[in-house]
Amino acid sequence: MELLNQIFIEPFQTMYALPDLLLQTLWEGFVAGTLYSLIALGFVLIFKASGVFNFAQGIMVVFAALVLVGVHALGVNAYLAVLITLGVMALLAMTVVRVVLKPLVNQPDIILFMATIGLTYILIAGGQLVFGGEPKAMITEELGLPTGSSDWEVGGGIVIFQHIDIAAAVIAVILIAGLAIFFNKTRVGRALRAVADDHQAALSVGISLEYIWMVVWFAAGVVALTAGIMWAAKSDVSFALQVVALKALPVLVLGGFTSIPGAIIGGLIIGLGEKVFELYWGSTILGGGTEAWFAFIIALLFLLYRPEGLFGEKLIERI
Amino acid sequence: MFYREAGQFKTTYEADSAKFPIFQDKVFIWLYLAIGFIAIPLFGSQFFLDAIMIPFLVLALAAVGLNILTGYTGQISLGTGAFMGVGAYACYKLTLAMPDVNIILLIVASGIFSALAGVFFGLPSLRIKGFYLVVTTLAAQFFLEWAFIRFPWLYNYNPSGAIEVPQREAFGVIVTGAAASSEARYLVVLSVVVIMTWFASNILSGRIGRSWMMIRDMDIAAELMGVRPLYAKLSAFAVSSFYCGVAGALMVFIWQGAAEVEIFDYNRSFQVLFMVILGGLGSLLGCFLGAAVIFIFPIVMHHALPPIWETLTPWTMNSSQADLVAAVIIGVMIVAFLILEPHGLARLWAIFKQKLRVWPFPY
């Protein structure tokens, strides 16, 4: 009885009594969700175009942020540092496609997946070797990002909005809109969608797979850099981020592996869900720390009932 | 090898389908076992036994477990660390409840608990495969890791949150706890690993093992030929987690002596997965080769690289940088092996043997 009360009644009473707490939690969940979405977006881009499940996307986020901070630490102007980082990501994309993906064409997907796990380790250890393992502060102010916060009074309490979070949400929206235009309106974007639809048909009308893959990996690199800047502005540039980045996997399951809107909505659901669950149910009944697994368990349940995700293409495949 | 099988004729089917059909192979296996059981404990230093041989054998056993699932059944898993943890915590609770029972028996029995956990988290594999399974096994990893911290009953309300291994005997010899000698612990690990590997090899060449491989190679065809995917997949999950659980119990009780939850985190899962990939998917020999490379190579680099680097170049290097270099090299090796030799070190060994067999002719 006590437990039922804790599950079904108390959380809602708390929500009603403290609307500011609820709003604050929802906002934090929304912000976390945007970042999960951005990381998941990188996965989806690569998966759609090449069928490669890029495990290294999470570490690419850290790597991009590290390069940016590292280059800036050499005394380079912040905006120039962003350009240089983009160059490094382009170089990484070219190397990965030429050295890893091209020799593995036609191998089973799982082999490619394991190759990206190997890549993850190279990037983690290589990044630590070059830039050092200690957390670094992001160059938020130098990049012209806002740092203050504003309050909003609701029902007797206040809700705090960090400006950087608002900026992150806005930039994420711009990025996604930009990607949508790129995919739908440009020549390269159309070629990308053709490759995503059918590799062989795309090859037969003269689209170079290698070039498209490089473009896609570079686009994923740009998304990774954006996610890295936003994330690191909230905390620090550190390798702990890669654990959080693993949460992009349940986001993908929820949204569908091939759907860009799915990645975004899945990210928001996971972000909101885990914060609300932790506050109202996890910390009271289960003793806290539920954020570590909430997303994965949701994905597990989802897989049992709707394996293709919310927006994914329904694969008719016997298992 | 430098010996040939010429002149050895088989007159029965049993002889033909024996594990080691060639006489010299049998001799070598007995020789290796003799070295393992007699020479190494007699002549190996304590450091060699404690820091190299025991961890190597424990991790090789975990790799055998994962290889059953990933290499033989084709279901990729990133939850190895958590399943090892289930075994370790189960063993701890068992030995506290029954202090007088032979600890080796309990270590093996604790595998049953992780087998149950494995079956539970393997259930989704009946509906999904590939990357989706990665997500569910990661769910197992993170959920179990959380559970190990959150339920103090599991570590007996120890304020530090760690398991401290009590002193236990087997056959009148102390094998766990601080008072146990390295030799005794080494022999326990070696016996368990040898017997369980022998078991695994028999399961794999039997009906169950062949049904796993059929599921891996083509699930629809396997189903048409009468393999029930439900039984095949779940039995693979059960056996694989059983092996991982025993490896986990050995890791805590014999190797580490005390354990916090961090030793079962997802890095452990990756470490074991790398052993399997590098050693060779679908090869028992590969598990041992992979474990040797992934575990021993970083230790060698840790001690040997900084002096070499400092004599060759004017820059200095500390041992943590050497670890990172080793990690980069392992990452490169993983990618390189996947591209050049997807069947891993075990396949390289087979090629080498074949080359020696026909030497000096190319074929």
Side-chain angles (χ1 to χ4, degrees):
Chain A
M1 201 57 223
E2 176 63 18
L3 186 68
L4 285 180
N5 187 34
Q6 276 187 332
I7 294 175
F8 291 110
I9 299 173
E10 267 179 29
F12 299 102
Q13 284 174 336
T14 323
M15 280 181 204
Y16 184 74
L18 300 167
D20 54 328
L21 183 64
L22 177 65
L23 278 175
Q24 185 74 55
T25 312
L26 287 177
W27 172 246
E28 275 170 19
F30 173 75
V31 172
T34 339
L35 285 163
Y36 295 154
S37 301
L38 278 181
I39 299 173
L41 193 62
F43 276 100
V44 170
L45 286 176
I46 291 176
F47 189 78
K48 259 176 92 102
S50 55
V52 175
F53 189 89
N54 178 23
F55 196 80
Q57 183 68 29
I59 195 65
M60 274 167 68
V61 171
V62 182
F63 188 76
L66 271 180
V67 173
L68 178 60
V69 175
V71 170
H72 183 259
L74 295 176
V76 181
N77 175 293
Y79 295 102
L80 195 62
V82 171
L83 284 181
I84 293 175
T85 311
L86 287 178
V88 172
M89 294 317 276
L91 203 67
L92 181 71
M94 275 168 63
T95 323
V96 169
V97 171
R98 283 260 165 80
V99 179
V100 181
L101 294 187
K102 199 131 180 284
L104 286 175
V105 167
N106 267 337
Q107 292 282 342
D109 295 345
I110 217 77
I111 299 281
L112 282 156
F113 169 68
M114 291 196 253
T116 62
I117 298 185
L119 186 67
T120 309
Y121 265 64
I122 299 175
L123 284 181
I124 292 178
Q128 284 186 19
L129 205 58
V130 178
F131 301 107
E134 69 280 359
K136 293 182 185 56
M138 178 42 78
I139 42 170
T140 319
E141 282 174 27
E142 288 85 341
L143 286 170
L145 294 169
T147 49
S149 66
S150 34
D151 304 341
W152 179 39
E153 287 189 30
V154 195
I158 47 167
V159 182
I160 301 165
F161 294 99
Q162 299 284 342
H163 287 168
I164 183 73
D165 292 344
I166 301 172
V170 171
I171 290 173
V173 169
I174 293 172
L175 184 73
I176 290 160
L179 281 175
I181 292 171
F182 174 67
F183 272 111
N184 290 315
K185 301 291 175 197
T186 64
R187 206 179 147 77
V188 180
R190 273 200 297 276
L192 273 173
R193 285 193 298 148
V195 171
D197 261 3
D198 189 333
H199 283 186
Q200 282 184 334
L203 270 176
S204 69
V205 293
I207 297 169
S208 154
L209 275 187
E210 200 181 330
Y211 171 66
I212 292 301
W213 283 351
M214 279 182 200
V215 171
V216 167
W217 275 76
F218 177 60
V222 174
V223 176
L225 176 62
T226 319
I229 293 174
M230 293 308 153
W231 196 292
K234 285 159 60 69
S235 50
D236 268 328
V237 190
S238 79
F239 284 89
L241 178 59
Q242 45 148 330
V243 185
V244 186
L246 286 179
K247 280 197 192 146
L249 300 180
V251 169
L252 289 173
V253 168
L254 213 59
F257 276 41
T258 50
S259 160
I260 290 178
I264 295 156
I265 292 172
L268 292 180
I269 292 177
I270 296 274
L272 287 170
E274 70 176 19
K275 294 274 189 251
V276 172
F277 182 82
E278 167 74 14
L279 181 65
Y280 290 103
W281 286 276
S283 56
T284 54
I285 303 170
L286 295 168
T290 56
E291 281 179 49
W293 53 261
F294 177 79
F296 289 95
I297 296 292
I298 289 289
L300 186 70
L301 296 176
F302 223 79
L303 279 175
L304 286 174
Y305 293 102
R306 205 179 151 81
E308 72 273 17
L310 287 172
F311 300 93
E313 299 153 30
K314 185 148 186 135
L315 287 176
I316 300 173
E317 187 177 30
R318 279 209 62 123
I319 295 176
Chain B
M1 253 353 210
F2 40 83
Y3 51 81
R4 300 190 171 84
E5 69 272 33
Q8 299 184 27
F9 301 109
K10 310 290 185 308
T11 49
T12 57
Y13 283 117
E14 283 77 36
D16 199 36
S17 60
K19 201 108 278 168
F20 300 103
I22 303 171
F23 171 72
Q24 287 91 334
D25 277 350
K26 272 181 217 157
V27 173
F28 269 93
I29 277 295
W30 285 112
L31 200 66
Y32 293 143
L33 286 179
I35 292 174
F37 276 100
I38 301 165
I40 291 180
L42 270 185
F43 303 113
S45 69
Q46 192 159 357
F47 171 81
F48 181 67
L49 289 181
D50 279 350
I52 294 181
M53 282 316 285
I54 293 177
F56 157 67
L57 287 170
V58 168
L59 291 171
L61 187 64
V64 170
L66 184 63
N67 214 340
I68 287 174
L69 192 61
T70 304
Y72 287 99
T73 322
Q75 316 287 313
I76 192 162
S77 162
L78 288 178
T80 321
F83 295 133
M84 290 170 82
V86 173
Y89 281 91
C91 189
Y92 181 63
K93 289 313 284 187
L94 282 176
T95 186
L96 286 185
M98 299 177 275
D100 299 327
V101 180
N102 187 331
I103 185 72
I104 299 173
L105 204 65
L106 291 181
I107 286 175
V108 175
S110 56
I112 296 167
F113 291 87
S114 60
L116 290 176
V119 169
F120 179 76
F121 283 100
L123 278 176
S125 73
L126 304 174
R127 293 198 49 148
I128 50 173
K129 58 182 170 187
F131 311 128
Y132 292 94
L133 204 59
V134 171
V135 178
T136 64
T137 52
L138 268 178
Q141 174 72 46
F142 285 106
F143 182 76
L144 290 171
E145 231 181 273
W146 173 82
F148 294 149
I149 302 173
R150 208 48 64 174
F151 296 106
W153 176 80
L154 284 173
Y155 44 87
N156 227 22
Y157 302 96
N158 188 340
S160 67
I163 306 180
E164 273 157 30
V165 174
Q167 182 168 317
R168 290 286 182 267
E169 294 183 356
F171 311 112
V173 183
I174 302 170
V175 294
T176 67
S181 69
S182 303
E183 287 80 9
R185 291 184 293 129
Y186 167 75
L187 285 175
V188 168
V189 176
L190 185 65
S191 326
V192 173
V193 171
V194 166
I195 293 172
M196 286 186 67
T197 309
W198 177 61
F199 252 83
S201 111
N202 280 343
I203 296 175
L204 288 169
S205 53
R207 192 180 57 82
I208 303 175
R210 278 177 285 138
S211 74
W212 293 342
M213 287 178 239
M214 287 163 82
I215 288 282
R216 171 194 66 189
D217 291 339
M218 195 172 175
D219 40 11
I220 299 172
E223 218 177 329
L224 285 172
M225 293 168 78
V227 173
R228 279 181 291 185
L230 176 79
Y231 288 88
K233 283 186 182 172
L234 288 189
S235 61
F237 264 97
V239 175
S240 155
S241 315
F242 182 86
Y243 275 73
C244 292
V246 174
L250 284 174
M251 181 160 95
V252 171
F253 275 72
I254 311 266
W255 168 14
Q256 307 243 350
E260 293 189 20
V261 79
E262 281 76 37
I263 65 168
F264 304 117
D265 67 359
Y266 70 100
N267 285 320
R268 182 71 62 192
S269 304
F270 280 114
Q271 189 189 27
V272 179
L273 181 66
F274 284 177
M275 289 172 184
V276 172
I277 297 176
L278 203 63
L281 289 161
S283 156
L284 286 180
L285 173 69
C287 300
F288 289 86
L289 296 176
V293 172
I294 300 276
F295 182 75
I296 297 174
F297 174 71
I299 297 182
V300 174
M301 291 288 276
H302 183 91
H303 293 290
L305 188 63
I308 296 174
W309 177 262
E310 275 161 26
T311 46
L312 290 181
T313 64
W315 299 288
T316 58
M317 174 187 266
N318 58 32
S319 47
S320 65
Q321 281 167 325
D323 291 345
L324 292 172
V325 174
V328 172
I329 294 176
I330 284 179
V332 172
M333 275 203 295
I334 299 274
V335 175
F337 263 94
L338 285 171
I339 293 171
L340 302 172
E341 184 50 86
H343 297 285
L345 290 167
R347 178 93 186 120
L348 284 186
W349 173 242
I351 292 173
F352 175 69
K353 257 169 80 170
Q354 179 63 17
K355 286 252 191 293
L356 273 182
R357 199 170 75 92
V358 297
W359 187 83
F361 306 108
Y363 48 83

